[in-house]
Amino acid sequence: MKSQQIRKQFLDFFESKNHVIVPSFPMVLKNDPTLMFTNAGMVPFKEYFLGQKNATDKRVADTQKCLRVSGKHNDLEEVGKDTYHHTMFEMLGNWSFGDYFKQDAIAWAWEFLVDVLKIDKDCLYVTVFEGAEEDKLGFDQEAFDFWKALISEDRIINGNKKDNFWEMGAQGPCGPCSEIHVDIRSAEEKAKVPGKSLINKDHPQVVEIWNLVFMEFNRKADGSLEKLPFQHVDTGMGFERLCMVMQNVQSNYDTDCFTPLIREVEAITENEYGKNEEIDIAIRVISDHVRAVAFAIADGQLPSNTGAGYVIRRILRRAIRYGFTFLDKKEPFIYKLVTTLSKQMGEYFPELKAQKNLITNVIKEEENSFLRTLEQGLILLDGIIKNTQGTEVSGKKAFELFDTYGFPIDLTALILSEKNMTLNESDFNIELEKQKNRSRAAAVVETDDWVVLIDDAEEEFIGYDNLETKVKITRYRKVSSKKDGELYQLVFNMTPFYPEGGGQSGDKGYIEVDNGNVIYILNTKKENNLIIHFAKHLPKNITHVFKAVVDEKQRFRTNCNHTATHLLHQALREILGTHVEQKGSAVHSKNLRFDFSHFSKLTVDELREVEDYVNSRVESKIPLEEFRNIPMQTALDKGAMALFGEKYGDTVRAIQFGNSIELCGGTHVENTGDIWHFKIVSESAIASGIRRIEAITGDATKDYYFENNRVFFEIKDILKNSKNPQKAILDLQEENTSLKKQIEVLLKDKAKNLKGDLITEVETINGVNFLAKKLDLDAGGLKDLAFEIGNQVDNLFFIAGTENNGKAGLTCYISKSLVEEKNLNAGQVVRELGKLIQGGGGGQPFFATAGGKKPEGIAEALEKAKEYIK
Ligand code: ATP
Ligand code: MG
């Protein structure tokens, strides 16, 4: 059965059990302060489990794009080496939000695998939680009894807390789980070693395929457990592993999820899969990683140097490096796989098809630049090897190469071993650990439990219509980190504060606590559907009613910038073409930033046209039309641009200004006229095919023009109020060039005259024609002079001192005959005498110069020079 059908069977099955089928949520999380990537199917539903949002549907099923490369779930180092862990994979899941529990979850999982997919019962095992004393939890008898009705008892295995108790994080919802494992070894192997003994033992053909989690508890900050008010089911089945079972193969990479990619890598790199372990690993790494990177880019996460972007860059670099070393590919080629991938997966995940060109270009550019890094690194490593005495290369040096230049450490080790050298790995690890500790110490955040004052699950946001209101604190907690110190997070029953999201910064403001005293709200963010206000202090009487006030000026400026962002987006698509797509945006009160796909630098005329386009809409005073809580389809019918990343079932908000319609949760001006004026301040490239525009509006543009105007008038003033300042400056530049030329000529003449005078001053000491003198010449003039005198006077030892802008210089010329016969060395002379002018220098035996900070030392230096010939 093809993978496409297997996915469909799963979804159809749960639809028949009254589940609502929803599309995958994005793999890259844009607005979640606790997580960078979706790493399990339950992530999009977190807030339901936390009880912070009520589910619209109680039964849901989906396939979710997951990425396990950072944080709690990090499989990166396994990927490629084994045959069943991926960076990006699909997790099939069915969910019950306070609806069915263990019995149905177990029965349906079994029905799907055994009755629908017809997987042989005799290759299945299940695990049940054995209990944990420290949590005062007993054996999961319930789950055991439900399983016993379906499977023979000797196939039910007890599992410990590590494998069979699932937790979302250090705190939060958790519960026992039951896993389903498959044993796909041959009958012969099964006869030799019983499958039961291989469960959870990292055997590549005895693997977990499905985990049924029964969410019953909440883990508190002190480590204790409390029962959740409702019980939920969260299941996750590895899609690629299921395909392996269904397609009767021994590795995920032999399923049709991967074979088209592997054939393509074989063809491009002229390597064959299945012949050599190192080559196989490299091919697996590349076919896996291209999926992760392509999906991340499709979700709007470009490779970069920080945060989630850096994680993506590292994945891609790992693939490039495997290709470079084991498949001998020194040129970009991974980008070529995107076509095959989008054919293979683009049907179910249309974002891959839609963004194919961008994904291809970005990957190609990254490959190019990392291959350059690798080349440079190889040269640096060569240098390190040459400077190493013995056969062990310092771990510190290797760390530098790794840390500063991004040169992979395993590549360093490999190259060294090829040269019969070794790496001091323990020193390397010490450096690595030090660096990790540094960043860990900066990032550690301690979070206390919520103190719930009023049990009010849904906090109402009223900030589209109001900037102040009376509020009550419903819950609060303390968080401490090295970076921000101690802060309190406050949640209100309702709030006018806009939480950071959709690219727009969070509101600031204050709450009035008692007779005029205020506590400032420093920022507002959203976490698992709660709007959290950050404050330095708690009010004394925490249960009072407070007046909460948003900083109106900041909010207004932010509104202007947000609306201007929409108009800018529209302008770019009108003027440059519909290939322009938003790739990121940041709306602050001071300015706005908009990243978009486009393949060349905008010309001055284009920028002007874009500004004019936006400003003409500002001048037309177009009123805001806002559509709150409308179904997605209605918004699309109105012409709003479809974005990936909306959650299923969510109603949306559409923002319209004339022909500009966008799905947007942000805040906007009432009328484009409020923006007053729009001005682009910069345009640049941030990645291959991605441009960035930074712009300002309103007051900020006034400041911008005032400042430019001030500078202009100052320049005019300097130019004695010239009527045509551009011409005045050009004239000055021209005059400057011609004066420089004249000075050169004059200096040459001066040197000529000087030469005549100087020759008369030469003294003969011990057969050496000696001349030491302080002169008023520049370096070039002095060098010419020295060589000219040298041509005329044999056996010359000439040393000159110069003083220029408080700096001292020494120039020494010694005839070649003296260098050879008397063993004199101009380089040595200036090095030694250079000390007297507090400086240093060098050069050749017959000509050298030194520079220093102490002109007062020149006389002594010239005096001392005589000693060389005595
Ligand atoms: P494993 O022990 O095999 O790493 P896990 O305990 O980490 O699995 P869960 O977190 O329970 O797995 O995830 C649910 C299911 O997702 C697993 O049963 C498995 O089929 C699949 N899965 C987990 N991690 C990966 C991965 N890195 N690549 C592919 N599938 C995975
Ligand atoms: Mg795992």
Side-chain angles (χ1 to χ4, degrees), residues 125-140:
Y125 292 88
V126 300
T127 62
V128 171
F129 179 50
E130 66 185 10
E133 245 171 56
E134 68 269 36
D135 289 322
K136 300 192 187 70
L137 291 174
F139 173 66
D140 191 353

Side-chain angles (χ1 to χ4, degrees), residues 712 715-716 719-731:
F712 175 73
I715 291 173
K716 250 184 111 171
L719 295 170
K720 304 274 175 294
N721 279 325
S722 152
K723 288 231 165 57
N724 188 342
Q726 275 124 307
K727 186 169 177 303
I729 290 177
L730 287 175
D731 286 350

Side-chain angles (χ1 to χ4, degrees), residues 380-401 409 412-413 415-417 419-429:
L380 291 170
L381 181 57
D382 236 22
I384 295 176
I385 291 172
K386 284 207 180 95
N387 288 322
T388 299
Q389 282 159 0
T391 59
E392 192 189 66
V393 165
S394 130
K396 230 176 171 165
K397 282 260 153 57
F399 181 77
E400 219 174 271
L401 202 58
I409 188 63
T412 302
I415 291 167
L416 292 180
S417 77
K419 296 189 190 268
N420 286 326
M421 295 181 81
T422 55
L423 168 71
N424 186 331
E425 273 183 45
S426 62
D427 276 5
F428 176 85
N429 287 330

Side-chain angles (χ1 to χ4, degrees), residues 68 75 84-86 89 91 208-211 236 238 241:
R68 294 199 164 178
D75 293 336
Y84 59 105
H85 279 100
H86 304 295
F89 62 99
M91 201 185 278
E208 174 192 329
I209 52 165
W210 202 345
N211 194 355
R241 292 188 191 176

Side-chain angles (χ1 to χ4, degrees), residues 519-704:
I519 289 181
Y520 288 105
I521 300 299
L522 307 172
N523 200 356
T524 313
K525 288 187 184 185
K526 196 167 187 174
E527 187 178 311
N528 299 324
N529 205 43
L530 287 181
I531 298 175
I532 293 173
H533 309 79
F534 290 76
K536 264 275 157 224
H537 310 282
L538 277 184
K540 272 202 197 77
N541 202 338
I542 194 103
T543 54
H544 276 193
V545 173
F546 307 108
K547 190 162 96 180
V549 183
V550 173
D551 182 329
E552 191 180 339
K553 218 172 197 169
Q554 276 208 355
R555 168 69 93 76
F556 177 73
R557 288 178 176 146
T558 309
N559 291 349
C560 289
N561 284 333
H562 205 147
T563 302
T565 304
H566 286 201
L567 298 177
L568 170 64
H569 189 184
Q570 188 194 12
L572 292 169
R573 285 175 70 93
E574 280 293 315
I575 293 163
L576 303 177
T578 47
H579 63 281
V580 167
E581 275 186 29
Q582 173 167 347
K583 287 291 158 221
S585 100
V587 178
H588 307 297
S589 59
K590 288 204 178 72
N591 59 4
L592 66 96
R593 204 176 73 200
F594 189 74
D595 300 339
F596 57 100
S597 46
H598 182 60
F599 288 95
S600 54
K601 187 169 177 56
L602 270 68
T603 62
V604 175
D605 286 344
E606 281 169 339
L607 286 172
R608 183 67 195 257
E609 214 182 317
V610 170
E611 276 178 356
D612 288 349
Y613 185 101
V614 174
N615 279 321
S616 83
R617 270 137 197 90
V618 170
E619 281 150 29
S620 310
K621 298 200 175 17
I622 308 168
L624 161 71
E625 287 178 81
E626 184 198 10
F627 306 92
R628 265 184 227 174
N629 292 324
I630 54 170
M632 172 78 105
Q633 199 50 48
T634 314
L636 296 180
D637 293 345
K638 282 183 182 297
M641 265 185 285
L643 297 177
F644 298 106
E646 302 300 322
K647 275 194 196 177
Y648 90 98
D650 278 358
T651 52
V652 297
R653 177 167 173 261
I655 292 294
Q656 178 166 10
F657 288 98
N659 299 330
S660 151
I661 311 177
E662 294 202 22
L663 298 181
C664 176
T667 63
H668 288 272
V669 293
E670 290 293 314
N671 187 299
T672 57
D674 296 344
I675 294 173
W676 190 72
H677 191 68
F678 168 83
K679 174 80 193 129
I680 293 174
V681 291
S682 79
E683 190 274 344
S684 58
I686 56 158
S688 159
I690 311 279
R691 315 283 318 169
R692 167 171 293 176
I693 280 182
E694 290 179 291
I696 50 178
T697 58
D699 286 357
T701 63
K702 273 185 215 169
D703 294 344
Y704 176 86

